[in-house]
Amino acid sequence: MKDKIYTYFDVLNQHSIISATNLKGEIKYVNDQFCDISKYEESELIGAPHSIVNSGYHNRAYFKDLWRTIGRGKVWQGNILNKAKDGSNYWVATTIVPIIEESKVKEYFSIRIEKTEEMKLEEEKTLHENRFTQLFNHISEGVVTLKKFGHKFIITDFNRGAEKLDHKNSAEVIGKDVLEVFPGTETSGFYDYIEEAYQKGYAQYPILKYQDENSDVWRKGEFYKLPNEEIVCVYHDITEEIIQLEQLKKYNEKLEEIAFKASHEVRAPVASILGLMQLLDLSDLSENNQQVLEHMKSSVEKLDQTIRDIVKVSYDTEEGKALFSKLSDLKNHFQNL
């Protein structure tokens, strides 16, 4: 039996970083692997406190929990960042086993596996995830991710942009069927685009009006299918733009009406006046009356040209405003004659 134990220990010794400490935490034994990774000589480690390789990365509570656990005779497992003699750091997956004799803990036996590269990759992954989360939550567009389960699309994420646009809290909607959260999805046509994205990998929907009991809005956006089968919807609200467009449309209709009236109801009599003035024989009039008539003719011609310009400009521009102002000035001029 002892031979088997020694064989097992020999195998463990070849592939693991091993140490033994007394109850005070002073090192009693280290194997070659421990010396290699810590860059200390065995003579420098024996009798030294195990804190000789403490990197300072972990807080006091972390090690307090460790010592409390092994002090009670229980096994502790976790990842520890240590510091080598040359100042370099290394991660080890650590298992500390209390050695118990006569119901009392006599010493501690530690087995470690280096995982520096794995921890670096994990840190990079965490960093990328944090960057994505910040981007996900700080863009103004709404972003919703969906996962298909059976015949349902379940909401798996809901960014702050979506919370603001739809006045819903992410905690309330994540895990629910999209039709439950947005009951107007199917009738408004959005559901067809979700299905299209799921089948084809991408779908861009045109301007759509979403309606339910609580909402009446206009939306535009795109659906993407991720490698993990999730559907991402990126959208923005264009309700204000649609309202402004409708107002502009009504305004243009009113301008067209004004232009039509200016052309047919105002310009026609002006044209008649100009025609009649051409028939007048100025030689029969006194010099004063001739001047007044010439002044009237000039004013009517200006009025005629202004009406032509108003008909031409049928939308709200600085030029249009100037023309309306010009028309008002001409009107006041005729009233003062």
Side-chain angles (χ1 to χ4, degrees), residues 15 37 43 75 77 110-111 115 125 160 170 174 182 186 198 218 220 226 232-233 243 248 253 270 276 283 320 330:
H15 298 280
I37 195 169
S43 59
V75 176
Q77 289 182 316
S110 303
I111 306 167
K115 58 180 306 182
K125 179 183 176 183
R160 292 175 187 169
S170 61
I174 291 176
F182 298 101
E186 195 165 18
Y198 186 78
W218 290 89
K220 186 177 182 180
L226 301 180
V232 178
C233 176
I243 292 174
L248 182 60
E253 290 174 352
V270 169
L276 291 171
S283 61
L330 282 171

Side-chain angles (χ1 to χ4, degrees), residues 92-152:
V92 283
T94 304
T95 300
I96 303 176
V97 181
I99 305 301
I100 301 175
E101 294 179 7
E102 298 178 356
S103 301
K104 291 185 179 181
V105 177
K106 296 297 183 180
E107 59 182 8
Y108 304 109
F109 188 76
S110 303
I111 306 167
R112 303 172 184 83
I113 304 294
E114 185 185 5
K115 58 180 306 182
T116 305
E117 290 303 316
E118 291 93 326
M119 291 299 291
K120 284 183 179 179
L121 290 174
E122 193 168 325
E123 286 177 356
E124 289 180 5
K125 179 183 176 183
T126 301
L127 178 63
H128 289 309
E129 287 177 348
N130 289 338
R131 285 176 177 172
F132 172 79
T133 300
Q134 290 178 2
L135 176 64
F136 182 79
N137 281 319
H138 285 86
I139 59 175
S140 58
E141 285 82 0
V143 182
V144 181
T145 59
L146 309 166
K147 185 81 172 180
K148 191 169 188 179
F149 293 94
H151 298 291
K152 295 182 178 181

